[in-house]
Amino acid sequence: MKNEINQPGAENPEELLDLKVTEPKTWAAGIPAVTAAMSDILEEAGAVRGMEGLFHMNKKGGFDCSSCAWPDPDDDRSPIAEYCENGAKALAEEATTKKLTAEFFANNPVADLAKLNDMEIGKKGRIAQPVYLPKGGTHYQPISWDSAFEKIAQHLNGLDSPNEAAFYTSGRTSNEASFMYQLFVREFGTNNMPDCSNMCHESTSVALAEAIGIGKGTVTLNDFYTTDVIIIMGQNPGTNHPRMLTALQKAKEKGSKIIAINPLHEAGLMGFKNPQTVKGVLGVTTQLADLYLQVKINGDMALLKAIEKLLCEAEMETPGQVFDHEFIKNNTVGYVEFLNHLQQYTVDELAMAAGVPVRQIKEAADMLKNKSRIIICWAMGLTQHKNGVSTIKEIVNLAALKGSYAKPGAGLCPVRGHSNVQGNRTMMIYDKPYEKQLNKIKEVFGFEPPRAHGYDVVDSIKAMNEGKLKVFFAVGGNFLSATPDTNFTAAGLRKLKLTVHVSTKLNRSHLVHGEEAIILPTLARSDKDIIGGEAQFVSCENSMGVIQMSKGVLDPISDNLLSENEIVCKLAKATIGNRTVVDWDKYAKSYDAVRDLIEKVIPGFDDYNKRVRQPGGFYLPNGPREGKFETDDYGNRIAFTIAGLPEHNLAADEYMMTSVRSHDQFNTTIYGMEDRYRGIHNERRVIFMNRKDMQNAGFEANEKVDLYNNHGGVERVARLFVVVPYDIPERNTATYYPESNVLVPIDSVAEKSNTPTSKLIFIKIKKHNPAGLN
């Protein structure tokens, strides 16, 4: 079976741009970061509007950056800037003065817009009024808010079952809007709540909830300043979380060592030129990684076991000097069984499976041997694998051996990729809610919420294609470009009766739609939110469990925008009508009233309205930080888990492919065509290959190729990529997403979490066939 991309535009281009390749960088940020950020701000927002936004971004009393979820410092926030290059670019995108009016949509058929690449679509500007695409229509056309809500309500109320609708959430959505959204969806009658976490840190949430009793990290930002060793696995902070570099620099200044683990040598793991310091401006580089372990794709489990094996041998030589036996005795189960499991391996075979020399693994073990103040960080490079949950539990094992919990400078640090994605889950945006959460909803509101689990992202896409879903409603995000198996997802969206997107800007998901489609324009984080003449604020949760306020400062580009919370409340009222037990009008107008509800339903939000107004906000309760592990299955202890090594048997002409971000993008938002850290300019359709692999396969640098995946008997093809020789392990390759998402099979998912395995896809590479013929 053949599965060709049939969308026009960037997903199946007819020609490439003028690719330029330069030497990759060995450091991140510096003056080039400032220059790039200011260039975007000036171009999109102008000097006055842009600088007004930047001055208030991530400041106490200002607004939370809409990109990554790295925390703000509790006390020592920069007087110059609390944002990074990519944060400034995110602000430029939403603070742009370009707007899409009725005239724009009248002059641009959907089919023509779909021919643009993702960057060109996003650069068009902010959507200025609700628009509607009728069945058989070729152009979006204006629609009033009331008519839009009425039409959506008609579709929802006309379903045979509430389970024929799915309600997606992006990580940008505030706590207040997220809570009211899940309340609406559950009163409507379904738990079909796919969200962006399903595609990123779902493996983390599952693994940590089972292993330590909470699906979140255990450290605070201040722990980075008292730690001895920081391990960074499957994460590229220079591009994905640039503000983390400042914390790493400060940790280094205080004596911490850093171990970086990644298949690619990434600039932001090697060095940092801090543009807010004199040395950084003068070009002085702070070395970050003291040891760089260039692991094979999905070699992390083998590497962790090799380190544990060496630590175990050191413990046997000097009993009681390497492992924290008091912590193990008082807080864990399964220790002996775990040690017995390790005995089946040799360090040599584990090193071979990891692709890392034994001498380097020994160096890593030596760095950890006499330390317990250890922080382990990770991101998508671990979570988006079939064994993602098991690998994260192996991190839990390592930290438990060292007693790296409930002490300053120690713990687990999953680095979330999208602002408030963690807050969404805290607000119960979840397709598999816990019984105690549903019982609390019933207690507070008086209605019986649905108990059956709903659809996550992968299940929703399958349900679309199977005709089980009729309506898809999304608050934020770019669902089509973010999801796996692009053509399969597109086919599912086109089978729907109605697709609705709450958005700030145009994206590809608006152009691949159901029989009818509606776009509801909403306020951005940086926009003022005025209700009844009073400026409102929302709240967000960062990667370390801090709840803080976010208050926009910029005038919206249109008077015809509504906040996400108001959209949700008005739609709920229109849909549920006199059947509702919720005063939706009240909560549409008062965010304080919404926070009062949250306080009643969700633990940890006592005195919410008071504490969120405190500068810097407040920390949510976190049991493992205090040595409390609420693991019901293991008697409130951490269970050492036992997992085997993944097996990858490649055919002679087969490669492992991982997908990565360019430095000029955030998730699916493409800011530009420059990935200066990796030396890629003016093009995104590239495949990074090992030079030996190129020579063996007969490929030249800059040669045009097509990429194939044949998972499950379906041929998936991504055409017209350029081969770039790169420092990457043999038989490993890397491409940018979303361009390569078409190769990610819908049913290649992580065990337990159902997360698409976007970081390990098996591909074949063939010389480009312009005609697309076999």
Side-chain angles (χ1 to χ4, degrees):
M1 180 178 177
K2 193 172 184 179
N3 187 7
E4 284 272 13
I5 293 287
N6 56 21
Q7 281 179 241
E11 282 66 26
N12 194 13
E14 296 178 0
E15 60 184 23
L16 293 168
L17 300 176
D18 184 18
L19 170 65
K20 179 183 178 183
V21 180
T22 59
E23 283 295 314
K25 300 290 186 183
T26 57
W27 51 269
I31 293 301
V34 177
T35 302
M38 290 303 102
S39 175
D40 273 33
I41 282 287
L42 294 176
E43 179 181 349
E44 295 290 342
V48 175
R49 181 175 171 87
M51 296 310 295
E52 172 75 3
L54 288 175
F55 181 77
H56 288 88
M57 181 185 286
N58 297 323
K59 296 287 186 70
K60 294 177 180 178
F63 62 92
D64 205 35
C65 177
S66 62
S67 55
C68 86
W70 187 253
D72 304 318
D74 288 340
D75 301 311
D76 59 342
R77 301 196 187 189
S78 169
I80 303 173
E82 272 298 338
Y83 55 84
C84 65
E85 174 186 349
N86 279 358
K89 289 178 178 178
L91 174 63
E93 288 283 308
E94 65 182 45
T96 182
T97 56
K98 295 182 290 189
K99 57 183 178 181
L100 309 185
T101 62
E103 182 181 5
F104 170 86
F105 288 104
N107 292 334
N108 290 275
V110 170
D112 286 354
L113 292 171
K115 294 176 183 177
L116 303 175
N117 64 40
D118 285 352
M119 182 188 74
E120 291 168 334
I121 294 170
K123 292 292 186 182
K124 290 298 181 183
R126 291 282 299 272
I127 302 168
Q129 71 286 302
V131 290
Y132 166 63
L133 182 67
K135 183 177 181 179
T138 58
H139 295 69
Y140 277 101
Q141 57 195 42
I143 186 173
S144 70
W145 280 103
D146 287 345
S147 296
F149 292 136
E150 181 181 359
K151 185 170 290 291
I152 298 167
Q154 287 175 349
H155 274 274
L156 291 175
N157 289 324
L159 298 174
D160 292 336
S161 164
N163 291 322
E164 291 183 333
F167 299 85
Y168 177 74
T169 313
S170 162
R172 190 192 60 136
T173 309
S174 70
N175 287 340
E176 293 77 9
S178 294
F179 182 83
M180 298 309 295
Y181 189 39
Q182 66 81 29
L183 186 63
F184 157 52
V185 173
R186 292 194 164 102
E187 191 180 24
F188 176 65
T190 185
N191 283 316
N192 289 346
M193 279 182 274
D195 74 298
C196 61
S197 184
N198 299 153
M199 295 179 284
C200 57
H201 267 287
E202 196 67 61
S203 295
T204 295
S205 298
V206 171
L208 295 187
E210 292 181 356
I212 65 172
I214 188 172
K216 303 178 182 182
T218 67
V219 299
T220 69
L221 186 56
N222 286 335
D223 285 319
F224 278 76
Y225 312 143
T226 58
T227 190
D228 291 318
V229 182
I230 301 169
I231 304 175
I232 305 174
M233 306 182 67
Q235 183 202 357
N236 177 15
T239 287
N240 301 340
H241 313 93
R243 293 171 69 215
M244 182 178 178
L245 299 179
T246 304
L248 295 178
Q249 181 184 46
K250 188 172 180 179
K252 291 283 291 187
E253 291 171 350
K254 291 181 176 293
S256 175
K257 301 294 185 182
I258 297 176
I259 301 173
I261 302 172
N262 202 294
L264 284 76
H265 278 96
E266 300 287 18
L269 290 171
M270 292 186 284
F272 174 44
K273 295 182 179 180
N274 189 339
Q276 295 197 46
T277 65
V278 174
K279 287 184 177 180
V281 172
L282 294 177
V284 177
T285 301
T286 298
Q287 178 191 345
L288 295 180
D290 297 277
L291 177 63
Y292 206 118
L293 305 180
Q294 191 175 22
V295 69
K296 291 178 182 177
I297 293 173
N298 199 219
D300 306 275
M301 175 69 85
L303 178 60
L304 288 166
K305 287 184 183 295
I307 292 172
E308 291 163 343
K309 176 80 173 177
L310 289 169
L311 292 175
C312 183
E313 293 175 357
E315 171 66 21
M316 293 176 66
E317 293 175 3
T318 56
Q321 300 300 306
V322 178
F323 291 166
D324 188 334
H325 288 281
E326 182 178 358
F327 180 87
I328 292 169
K329 177 183 177 181
N330 295 332
N331 296 283
T332 73
V333 295
Y335 171 64
V336 173
E337 293 82 357
F338 176 70
L339 293 188
N340 290 336
H341 163 72
L342 286 180
Q343 299 314 307
Q344 69 180 285
Y345 302 107
T346 67
V347 173
D348 286 343
E349 68 179 317
L350 290 170
M352 182 172 292
V356 179
V358 171
R359 60 174 176 78
Q360 286 192 321
I361 302 176
K362 288 183 176 179
E363 188 177 348
D366 286 343
M367 292 171 67
L368 300 174
K369 186 166 55 179
N370 299 316
K371 308 294 185 184
S372 66
R373 295 188 302 174
I374 301 167
I375 294 175
I376 308 177
C377 308
W378 70 90
M380 305 308 104
L382 297 192
T383 64
Q384 293 178 330
H385 287 281
K386 185 175 181 180
N387 65 335
V389 171
S390 296
T391 301
I392 293 163
K393 287 185 176 181
E394 200 69 33
I395 291 174
V396 173
N397 290 344
L398 176 57
L401 290 174
K402 300 298 296 177
S404 298
Y405 294 95
K407 63 180 63 172
L412 309 179
C413 183
V415 185
R416 305 282 176 168
H418 201 168
S419 175
N420 211 44
V421 63
Q422 187 163 295
N424 293 167
R425 184 56 54 85
T426 301
M427 293 296 110
M428 302 190 299
I429 297 290
Y430 192 29
D431 55 283
K432 301 175 184 64
Y434 299 108
E435 281 297 308
K436 60 183 179 181
Q437 293 176 319
L438 299 177
N439 291 340
K440 197 65 177 179
I441 288 176
K442 182 177 181 180
E443 174 190 327
V444 173
F445 296 101
F447 71 87
E448 179 63 54
R451 302 282 171 168
H453 289 173
Y455 295 139
D456 62 14
V457 165
V458 168
D459 290 337
S460 293
I461 296 169
K462 291 180 177 179
M464 292 175 191
N465 279 279
E466 294 167 1
K468 296 178 180 179
L469 285 180
K470 301 293 191 298
V471 175
F472 178 77
F473 188 99
V475 178
N478 181 357
F479 187 79
L480 176 63
S481 292
T483 48
D485 221 338
T486 309
N487 198 59
F488 185 75
T489 301
L493 289 167
R494 289 172 173 138
K495 290 180 181 179
L496 296 168
K497 296 296 183 181
L498 176 68
T499 50
V500 184
H501 293 273
V502 178
S503 303
T504 56
K505 303 189 73 177
L506 198 66
N507 65 53
R508 190 164 297 280
S509 295
H510 305 140
L511 311 176
V512 178
H513 48 77
E515 288 184 2
E516 298 175 77
I518 293 175
I519 307 174
L520 303 177
T522 191
L523 296 171
R525 285 265 181 90
S526 56
D527 289 336
K528 294 176 182 176
D529 186 355
I530 308 295
I531 297 179
E534 184 175 344
Q536 306 291 315
F537 70 86
V538 295
S539 59
C540 304
E541 178 182 348
N542 64 36
S543 269
M544 295 177 186
V546 177
I547 303 294
Q548 59 187 12
M549 66 184 293
S550 177
K551 187 174 184 179
V553 298
L554 301 180
D555 292 330
I557 54 92
S558 168
D559 293 332
N560 207 7
L561 310 180
L562 296 180
S563 72
E564 290 172 330
N565 183 70
E566 192 169 2
I567 290 171
V568 167
C569 290
K570 289 190 173 184
L571 177 60
K573 180 182 178 181
T575 303
I576 306 176
N578 57 18
R579 306 189 308 275
T580 189
V581 297
V582 179
D583 187 348
W584 296 104
D585 286 335
K586 173 182 177 181
Y587 301 117
K589 297 175 182 177
S590 173
Y591 298 173
D592 278 353
V594 175
R595 287 186 281 270
D596 286 340
L597 283 184
I598 294 171
E599 181 178 338
K600 293 178 181 178
V601 175
I602 301 178
F605 285 85
D606 304 316
D607 295 322
Y608 192 0
N609 272 306
K610 177 181 179 181
R611 290 196 294 160
V612 78
R613 284 175 162 84
Q614 297 171 351
F618 62 93
Y619 282 88
L620 288 176
N622 188 300
R625 277 186 195 148
E626 302 170 5
K628 301 174 183 177
F629 306 98
E630 298 178 4
T631 54
D632 295 337
D633 293 341
Y634 307 112
N636 294 329
R637 290 169 176 256
I638 297 173
F640 281 96
T641 55
I642 295 174
L645 299 180
E647 295 184 8
H648 306 307
N649 299 310
L650 298 176
D653 60 346
E654 198 169 26
Y655 303 85
M656 292 190 287
M657 183 197 82
T658 190
S659 62
V660 299
R661 287 187 199 171
S662 156
H663 187 63
D664 222 358
Q665 75 179 96
F666 176 75
N667 291 345
T668 59
T669 301
I670 312 301
Y671 301 136
M673 308 297 282
E674 297 291 310
D675 190 359
R676 68 177 185 274
Y677 291 165
R678 298 191 186 101
I680 303 299
H681 311 274
N682 204 38
E683 184 53 75
R684 291 180 50 84
R685 298 185 74 84
V686 300
I687 179 166
F688 299 104
M689 290 189 70
N690 180 281
R691 289 183 183 275
K692 289 184 179 179
D693 289 337
M694 291 172 55
Q695 182 178 358
N696 293 338
F699 293 130
E700 301 287 341
N702 297 319
E703 186 163 358
K704 297 175 181 178
V705 296
D706 299 328
L707 313 180
Y708 295 79
N709 168 272
N710 292 283
H711 182 91
V714 176
E715 184 180 83
R716 299 169 179 85
V717 187
R719 298 199 180 278
L720 197 52
F721 280 66
V722 178
V723 175
V724 174
Y726 209 75
D727 182 7
I728 189 170
E730 290 182 48
R731 308 299 293 279
N732 288 197
T733 65
T735 56
Y736 297 129
Y737 74 84
E739 287 82 357
S740 60
N741 281 0
V742 61
L743 299 170
V744 183
I746 189 65
D747 54 354
S748 179
V749 296
E751 296 165 349
K752 289 194 173 184
S753 69
N754 214 31
T755 297
T757 59
S758 301
K759 289 296 184 284
L760 174 51
I761 302 301
F762 299 98
I763 65 168
K764 294 186 178 183
I765 307 171
K766 301 179 182 180
K767 294 181 184 295
H768 175 55
N769 183 348
L773 303 175
N774 291 328

